[in-house]
Amino acid sequence: MSQNKAFVYVVTLVATLGGLLFGYDTAVISGAEKSIQTFLIDSLGLSSFLHGITVSSALIGCIIGGAISGIVSSKYGRKKALIIAGVLFLLSAMGSGNPEFLFFERGVPSIGLLWTFNIYRVIGGIGVGLASAVCPMYIGEIAPANIRGKLVSLNQFAIIFGMLVVYFVNWGIAEGQTMDWINTIGWRRMFTSEAIPASLFAVLMFFMPETPRYLALNKQDEKALSILTRINGVDKAKQILVDIKNTVQTSKGKLFSYGKVVIIVGILLSVFQQFVGINVALYYAPRIFESMGAAKDASMLQTIIMGLVNVIFTIVAILTVDKWGRKPLLIIGSIGMAIGMIAISILSFQNVIGIATLVFIIIYTASFMMSWGPICWVLIAEIYPNKIRSQAIAIAVAAQWAANFFISSTYPPMMELSSGGTYLFYGIMSIISAMFVWKMVPETKGKTLEEMEHIWKK
């Protein structure tokens, strides 16, 4: 491997720790949500709706973090935005595991404690929202065009790997313990375990470079050229810098400089990624498997199996995204998700649970992980012209987290109405997502970020 490629991969791997924390923070609740229900919901006589809100409260922070990501990454830079995200992850990990700190008696539930717990989860969510927008932006602005899809997809691999790690951590904490211990101590350890990768990410990002696109946009051409040279070599670096400067000079920088369609496409990519129901499968995985008849330990183990499937099929996406292109993978994934969810719906209507349900959940999640999981982030990182990228990504990511919050918080009450109807809704959304990609999403394989300007001007 050349020095240039080695440099790009090292920078990418450090940045993807933000993705790992994204996955860790959003999935840690899967092992703790039943204990939170027992400790803070049932003991206070609160509703299933408030349970759904508490499980999903981090998503409120994600919406905020996504919405402010454009301002933060434009004003302070992509690098500093990721360092801020790391600090927020650390605060959330410590606070969520010990929400009584300073203000409440340990182990005594109250409405005030419920609010405090949710505030700490929102803080972590802001970190997730920042990381979810800025990590793919950072990698996309560093990566050469011919391997950009692969490198941005590594961020999704890190997200899924983070989820898998926390499934193992949650299982390891719960293994062999009584429910009483898990409900009093175990769930706290699940949350505080995130402090280790959060600290590592914040420290390592200090040693990473700023992106050349950000530097060029802020008239730091010498620094931009230095980094571009390390990535692409001397000759290519000079030409890329010229291309970047041309887009800066010709672009007005207003959000709708390239029309409304590019903004709408980014928003709909984000919304469909959530409306197909993936985070229901991720957040509520142990509960879903328990409803299928699995015992507590077995449900945690089946969640790990699902996590391994997720990792394997994300690798499929990484290996194929720069060969097959973005659109074919998204359409294939949508078809697979529709088959999985509609089959689960039929089994639910017939009140059939067991191995068939597990198989179709795996088909569904595998289809998502080889397509909409990584490819949505790749497209969001690359479809926008340079001058509007940070603003447009912020809107798309905020829309994604708003859709995520809606789907995740409505899942418990929807399941009370009809489990079969709930899964059928996600299946229908999968079909519509395929039609959307076919009709509206441009293919961006192999194109430089500077060429995006020409796609949307046409």
Side-chain angles (χ1 to χ4, degrees), residues 77 79 87 106 139 193 260 280 302 325 347 406 444 453:
K79 172 182 171 177
V87 173
R106 187 177 175 88
I139 296 167
S193 64
K260 295 178 182 177
V280 163
Q302 287 174 339
L347 292 171
F406 174 80
T444 56
E453 182 172 338

Side-chain angles (χ1 to χ4, degrees), residues 256-438:
F256 297 112
S257 298
Y258 302 89
K260 295 178 182 177
V261 173
V262 61
I263 306 301
I264 292 169
V265 167
I267 290 171
L268 289 179
L269 279 167
S270 292
V271 169
F272 278 119
Q273 193 202 43
Q274 300 306 315
F275 270 55
V276 297
I278 185 61
N279 282 310
V280 163
L282 298 177
Y283 297 161
Y284 293 94
R287 183 179 287 257
I288 291 170
F289 291 132
E290 282 183 38
S291 73
M292 290 161 47
K296 172 178 66 70
D297 288 347
S299 72
M300 289 281 192
L301 194 57
Q302 287 174 339
T303 303
I304 289 173
I305 292 170
M306 194 172 78
L308 288 169
V309 170
N310 294 349
V311 167
I312 291 166
F313 280 87
T314 302
I315 292 172
V316 171
I318 291 169
L319 296 176
T320 56
V321 62
D322 287 318
K323 294 178 182 177
W324 296 1
R326 285 56 161 156
K327 289 185 71 166
L329 284 175
L330 287 177
I331 292 170
I332 291 167
S334 292
I335 294 167
M337 289 188 296
I339 291 169
M341 272 298 177
I342 291 170
I344 294 168
S345 173
I346 292 169
L347 292 171
S348 296
F349 278 124
Q350 295 177 345
N351 202 28
V352 176
I353 57 174
I355 192 67
T357 311
L358 176 60
V359 169
F360 283 114
I361 286 176
I362 288 173
I363 289 171
Y364 165 79
T365 55
S367 298
F368 179 88
M369 294 304 164
M370 66 162 284
S371 60
W372 281 85
I375 308 306
C376 177
W377 291 111
V378 170
L379 282 167
I380 287 173
E382 69 185 7
I383 62 171
Y384 300 115
N386 282 331
K387 201 65 186 278
I388 66 166
R389 183 172 299 118
S390 60
Q391 299 167 270
I393 288 177
I395 291 170
V397 171
Q400 182 168 118
W401 288 113
N404 188 330
F405 178 74
F406 174 80
I407 291 295
S408 302
S409 61
T410 55
Y411 175 73
M414 282 177 70
M415 287 294 287
E416 287 182 1
L417 289 173
S418 169
S419 59
T422 301
Y423 296 125
L424 180 61
F425 171 78
Y426 302 142
I428 291 170
M429 287 297 106
S430 299
I431 294 170
I432 296 173
S433 71
M435 297 168 64
F436 157 70
V437 171
W438 178 43

Side-chain angles (χ1 to χ4, degrees), residues 242-257:
V242 169
D243 292 341
I244 294 171
K245 296 301 290 182
N246 285 339
T247 63
V248 173
Q249 290 166 2
T250 59
S251 302
K252 296 177 182 178
K254 294 180 181 178
L255 186 62
F256 297 112
S257 298

